Amino acid sequence: MIAKSLKGRSAAMDPGIWSKLPPELLELILSFLPLKTLLNLRSTCKHFKSLVFSPSFISKYSSASLFSSFFLLSHPQCYSNFPLYDTIRGAWRKLALPLSFLPPSAAQFNLLSSCNGLFCFSLPSSSSFLVCNLLAKSSRSIQFPFFPFAFEMLTLVSTPHGYKIFLLCSKFSSNYAFVYDSKVHSWRQFDGFQPLLADNFHKEGASFNGSLYFATPEPFSVVCFDLENGKWENLDTEMPRELTFVRLVSNTDEGKLYMVGGIGRNGISRSMKLWEMGDGGNWVEVERLPELMCRKFMSVCYHNYEHVYCFWHQDMICVCCHTWPEILYCKVSRRTWHWIPKCPSIPDKWSCGFRWFSFVPDLYTLA
């Protein structure tokens, strides 16, 4: 009976019916569209363009959509094309950096940090940084505080009202910390930490409770820098014994701080462990890297731990080495360890300079 009544009807959507669809129901339906389709939808009419950026739609879309998330590889030979590993589909892709983002004078650029869908590049030829959201096609050029400007440990940090850029700079005979705040578009200068965190070349701070946390060289300890008032503090916490190297990483969504460290003697690691900062400020062991995987990782970095760095990516603590094109990661919720294999498009002659970043596209993060 129903089949007969529908048989004679046109397959076309009746505008008399669909035009009366309640706005909140339309928003809910559109929130399930793939991201690419949603971006194309903006150009169809003014209503859809304003809808996509409305607070109510942003809330629905962020909760309903399943974005892909990626590991992005930066290498001196990549230039503007970055290999991407899709962590949801388990497939390799490539990301081309649109040259329209770059100033005409930018003959060279280096990817330094990523956070919340944003990337931070340095543009040495124009004495500036470039923060951009490739998905939203937005960018901002930020001039160095002064020139010449030598810096290290640059860290891009997401804040409720934008983002901040932290870095250390050796100026004259002193060490200074600089913080850029996107809310006021200006730099602030603070005293640095003495002695210099020299063992942390190319490392970033771990964002935790409004501060950045760093591990010092031997004797190992943890210090933090308050991004608001610019004060340094030594953490009064007992470190595990027989550490050979220490790296910190944080889960900002759940407010957790982790420590990855090698265990051994005379600078030779025999094992690698993962700890979590407990409520009392003490380190609680979470997991140990299996022996065979530990042997591979230690052989990869040749016990030269200056090349080891870590970052957080959606329930994964990633442990990488500048001299190796693979990623070792721990799935924190399952407490299991895995390797992500080498990208097939990377030539075998590339022997160093590998730098991995977390990339979780976010349409609504503004540069």
Side-chain angles (χ1 to χ4, degrees), residues 243-280:
L243 288 171
T244 53
F245 72 90
V246 172
R247 297 293 179 264
L248 301 177
V249 63
S250 61
N251 176 0
T252 55
D253 292 333
E254 298 183 8
K256 294 183 178 181
L257 182 67
Y258 296 93
M259 179 172 68
V260 177
I263 301 295
R265 292 182 179 180
N266 302 318
I268 304 297
S269 297
R270 301 302 179 188
S271 64
M272 191 166 77
K273 296 182 179 182
L274 173 65
W275 296 266
E276 180 183 344
M277 175 69 76
D279 295 335

Side-chain angles (χ1 to χ4, degrees), residues 32-299:
F32 288 96
L33 286 176
L35 182 59
K36 184 176 180 180
T37 304
L38 182 65
L39 294 176
N40 293 333
L41 190 67
R42 294 181 299 173
S43 61
T44 58
C45 67
K46 293 182 179 179
H47 173 65
F48 283 158
K49 184 176 182 180
S50 61
L51 172 65
V52 168
F53 290 98
S54 66
S56 59
F57 184 79
I58 290 174
S59 176
K60 289 185 177 68
Y61 193 81
S62 60
S63 60
S65 296
L66 294 176
F67 283 126
S68 290
S69 64
F70 306 91
F71 293 130
L72 181 145
L73 175 61
S74 175
H75 188 275
Q77 301 297 325
C78 291
Y79 192 59
S80 60
N81 289 283
F82 301 98
L84 289 175
Y85 182 79
D86 190 325
T87 59
I88 294 179
R89 294 174 175 82
W92 288 97
R93 301 183 182 183
K94 274 196 173 182
L95 173 67
L97 178 65
L99 297 180
S100 57
F101 279 125
L102 303 175
S105 60
Q108 179 185 2
F109 55 89
N110 302 306
L111 179 55
L112 302 177
S113 186
S114 68
C115 179
N116 201 27
L118 296 177
F119 290 109
C120 181
F121 298 85
S122 69
L123 309 176
S125 58
S126 59
S127 304
S128 63
F129 299 109
L130 180 73
V131 177
C132 60
N133 184 332
L134 300 181
L135 188 62
K137 296 183 178 180
S138 64
S139 64
R140 178 178 297 277
S141 181
I142 302 168
Q143 291 297 310
F144 291 169
F146 54 86
F147 185 81
F149 187 62
F151 61 90
E152 59 183 354
M153 302 179 68
L154 185 144
T155 307
L156 182 65
V157 182
S158 178
T159 66
H161 303 289
Y163 58 86
K164 292 184 179 182
I165 300 175
F166 167 91
L167 48 83
L168 286 178
C169 172
S170 296
K171 180 181 178 183
F172 307 115
S173 59
S174 301
N175 174 32
Y176 292 95
F178 285 83
V179 177
Y180 176 85
D181 191 338
S182 67
K183 183 179 179 181
V184 295
H185 307 302
S186 65
W187 291 95
R188 289 195 297 168
Q189 178 179 323
F190 304 97
D191 291 334
F193 182 78
Q194 301 294 341
L196 286 171
L197 305 175
D199 187 45
N200 290 274
F201 181 66
H202 280 324
K203 310 302 183 298
E204 299 185 26
S207 178
F208 179 64
N209 290 342
S211 298
L212 285 179
Y213 285 69
F214 303 89
T216 67
E218 292 187 77
F220 297 111
S221 64
V222 177
V223 299
C224 65
F225 175 83
D226 191 306
L227 288 167
E228 190 61 34
N229 59 33
K231 293 183 178 180
W232 292 89
E233 180 183 353
N234 283 282
L235 261 66
D236 185 17
T237 179
E238 183 178 354
M239 302 293 283
R241 296 181 179 181
E242 298 185 331
L243 288 171
T244 53
F245 72 90
V246 172
R247 297 293 179 264
L248 301 177
V249 63
S250 61
N251 176 0
T252 55
D253 292 333
E254 298 183 8
K256 294 183 178 181
L257 182 67
Y258 296 93
M259 179 172 68
V260 177
I263 301 295
R265 292 182 179 180
N266 302 318
I268 304 297
S269 297
R270 301 302 179 188
S271 64
M272 191 166 77
K273 296 182 179 182
L274 173 65
W275 296 266
E276 180 183 344
M277 175 69 76
D279 295 335
N282 57 317
W283 292 108
V284 180
E285 184 175 332
V286 175
E287 191 57 52
R288 176 195 292 260
L289 181 64
E291 183 178 355
L292 291 179
M293 301 181 80
C294 183
R295 288 181 181 178
K296 176 180 177 178
F297 185 79
M298 296 308 167
S299 65

